């Protein structure tokens, strides 16, 4: 099969499409023939080792000290079940599924194995594979943090970085919970963020949300800008900061605060079932920056590297 192989850290050009052996499903595993995958901010960060300050060594220990231990990147895949391993009962050949291998990666390939008990869900008939895969990364991350932050109806929630993969899902999911949502994005994306349900939009190039006198019950930051020290004055009593991305020292400094939620999201089957079901009900809209053929994966990495994609960059397989 063809896979995008990355056997050293570096710029987008280190990613090369090569022939590699097609995996076979082990006991309890499902083999998926890929129809669509994404290049997400996580892929680009690991590829370039562009990680929060202070976490370089930890990331190298996790992903490979001098070169990637798992040379095939890719967090998520959507496609058809091609075969199942012994003991698999919930899926069968031909089922349309979306799955995430999370930090185990391996989804930039024509065939991908996923544990039946892992993060895998059936794609509803009304949803395309491209839509389903575009919901995964941002949807699972947003659900993980909104749950841990116990975001509830009537709360005032600010999403810093409202136009990326995580932000576009967080805006919609917070709104769906009945929160009053403020999205922080550039003017170019204001209309989109409003159309996703944001009640208020702040242009980060023109206004600093930490200095506008507003108080929020929840500040979700995926831009590494909302250290606790910087935003505590913008929190209402009982307010929480959901630090999706942040440097090590400010994160440690804030970790004794009950008000701060940080760490890494682990996509689950529940997350995927929730996002595809909400999309089926037209509650959640997949936001797709661009769709490229798998052969153009280097171009996809370049787009993600700009830091200005809107939603997800999707790759399709012939
Ligand atoms: N902790 C976890 O488990 C976890 C999970 C997933 C992701 N993450 C991290 O979360 C971050 C967001 O991920 P993502 O996939 O959503 O990223 P993304 O899609 O690449 O984000 C791109 C968006 O960020 C916006 N942006 C850039 N600078 C901004 C600023 N100063 N203020 C507000 N918005 C700004 C851009 O809008 P403009 O073009 O208008 O600037 C663009 O639409 C990444 O750093 C990722 O590594 C962490």
């Amino acid at each position: 099969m063809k896979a995008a192989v990355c056997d050293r850290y570096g710029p987008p050009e280190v990613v090369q499409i090569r022939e590699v052996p097609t995996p076979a499903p082990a006991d309890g595993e499902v083999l998926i023939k890929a129809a669509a995958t994404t290049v997400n901010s996580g892929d680009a960060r690991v590829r370039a080792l562009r990680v929060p300050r202070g976490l370089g060594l930890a990331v190298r220990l996790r992903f490979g000290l001098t070169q990637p231990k798992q040379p095939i990147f890719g967090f998520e895949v959507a496609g058809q079940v091609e075969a199942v391993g012994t003991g698999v009962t919930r899926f069968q050949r031909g089922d349309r599924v979306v799955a995430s291998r999370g930090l185990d990666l391996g989804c930039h390939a024509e065939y991908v194995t996923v544990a039946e008990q892992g993060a895998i869900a059936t794609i509803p008939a009304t949803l395309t594979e491209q839509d389903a895969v575009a919901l995964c990364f941002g949807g699972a991350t947003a659900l993980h943090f909104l749950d841990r932050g116990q975001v509830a109806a009537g709360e005032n929630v600010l999403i810093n970085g409202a136009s990326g993969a995580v932000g576009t899902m967080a805006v919609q999911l917070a709104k769906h919970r009945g929160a009053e949502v403020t999205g922080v994005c550039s003017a170019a994306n204001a209309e989109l963020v409003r159309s996703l349900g944001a009640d208020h939009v702040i242009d980060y190039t023109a206004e600093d949300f930490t200095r506008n006198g507003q108080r929020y019950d929840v500040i979700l930051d995926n831009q590494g800008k909302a250290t606790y020290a910087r935003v505590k004055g913008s929190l209402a009593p009982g307010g929480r900061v959901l630090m999706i991305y942040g440097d090590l020292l400010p994160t440690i400094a804030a970790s004794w605060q009950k008000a701060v939620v940080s760490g890494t999201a682990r996509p689950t089957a529940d997350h995927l079932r929730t996002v595809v079901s909400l999309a089926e009900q037209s509650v959640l809209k997949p936001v797709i920056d661009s769709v490229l053929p798998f052969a153009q994966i280097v171009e996809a990495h370049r787009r993600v590297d700009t830091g200005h994609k809107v939603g997800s960059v999707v790759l399709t397989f012939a």
Side-chain angles (χ1 to χ4, degrees):
M1 68 167 181
K2 285 193 168 51
V5 178
C6 187
D7 40 27
R8 62 188 171 97
Y9 297 117
E13 295 70 28
V14 298
V15 181
Q16 293 181 349
I17 295 188
R18 292 196 202 137
E19 280 296 324
V20 302
T22 303
D27 293 356
E29 281 187 348
V30 172
L31 178 70
I32 301 166
K33 183 175 196 291
T37 183
T38 66
V39 175
N40 65 37
S41 54
D43 293 308
R45 282 195 185 287
V46 177
R47 189 212 73 235
L49 283 180
R50 191 174 48 242
V51 297
R53 253 176 297 174
L55 284 177
L57 181 61
V59 170
R60 278 184 189 263
L61 288 173
R62 172 68 179 79
F63 291 100
L65 217 48
T66 55
Q67 62 188 77
K69 280 190 284 200
Q70 161 57 286
I72 301 173
F73 289 6
F75 284 60
E76 50 254 341
V77 63
Q80 270 199 6
V81 174
E82 176 79 6
V84 297
T86 308
V88 170
T89 55
R90 287 171 39 227
F91 298 99
Q92 59 186 20
R93 188 179 154 86
D95 287 352
R96 293 168 72 238
V97 292
V98 61
S100 171
R101 287 173 50 99
L103 298 176
D104 291 341
L105 309 176
C107 293
H108 289 164
E110 288 179 318
Y111 292 89
V112 177
T113 55
V114 178
E116 181 192 27
Q117 302 301 332
I120 176 166
T122 303
I123 302 177
T126 52
L127 225 56
T128 65
E129 282 84 357
Q130 294 179 27
D131 284 347
V133 86
L135 294 163
C136 270
F137 183 70
T141 304
L143 280 173
H144 171 95
F145 281 95
L146 295 176
D147 284 347
R148 286 181 59 204
Q150 300 180 348
V151 174
E155 290 198 304
N156 227 330
V157 175
L158 178 134
I159 313 285
N160 188 36
S163 53
V166 176
T168 52
M169 294 295 125
V171 166
Q172 297 181 82
L173 290 165
K175 193 68 199 161
H176 180 59
R177 287 180 184 211
E180 177 155 345
V181 176
T182 301
V184 181
C185 60
S186 66
N189 293 320
E191 213 32 63
L192 165 79
V193 170
R194 250 188 222 103
S195 77
L196 299 175
D199 302 283
H200 317 279
V201 173
I202 294 175
D203 173 1
Y204 71 82
T205 64
E207 184 182 332
D208 179 347
F209 72 86
T210 65
R211 289 168 181 235
N212 65 6
Q214 298 293 315
R215 295 280 180 274
Y216 301 97
D217 299 300
V218 175
I219 295 176
L220 179 154
D221 176 45
N222 59 52
Q223 293 297 318
K225 307 274 194 261
T227 58
Y228 184 71
R230 181 167 172 250
V231 301
K232 63 183 179 199
S234 304
L235 285 178
R240 287 89 74 203
V241 186
L242 313 182
M243 285 174 62
I244 294 188
Y245 184 82
D247 293 338
L248 182 63
L249 282 181
T251 306
I252 290 174
S255 58
W256 59 275
Q257 297 285 347
K258 272 203 326 225
V260 175
V261 173
S262 60
T264 304
R266 283 180 198 286
T268 65
D270 260 356
H271 290 146
L272 301 190
R273 282 193 286 265
T274 301
V275 293
V276 295
S277 158
L278 289 175
E280 188 185 19
Q281 297 163 52
S282 304
V283 170
L284 197 56
K285 194 157 50 164
V287 179
I288 296 181
D289 176 272
S290 41
V291 179
L292 294 167
F294 182 57
Q296 290 181 28
I297 188 164
V298 172
E299 196 48 53
H301 272 270
R302 286 193 192 115
R303 175 64 184 150
V304 180
D305 271 6
T306 64
H308 294 293
K309 72 181 170 66
V310 178
S312 297
V313 172
V314 172
L315 294 175
T316 56
F317 296 81

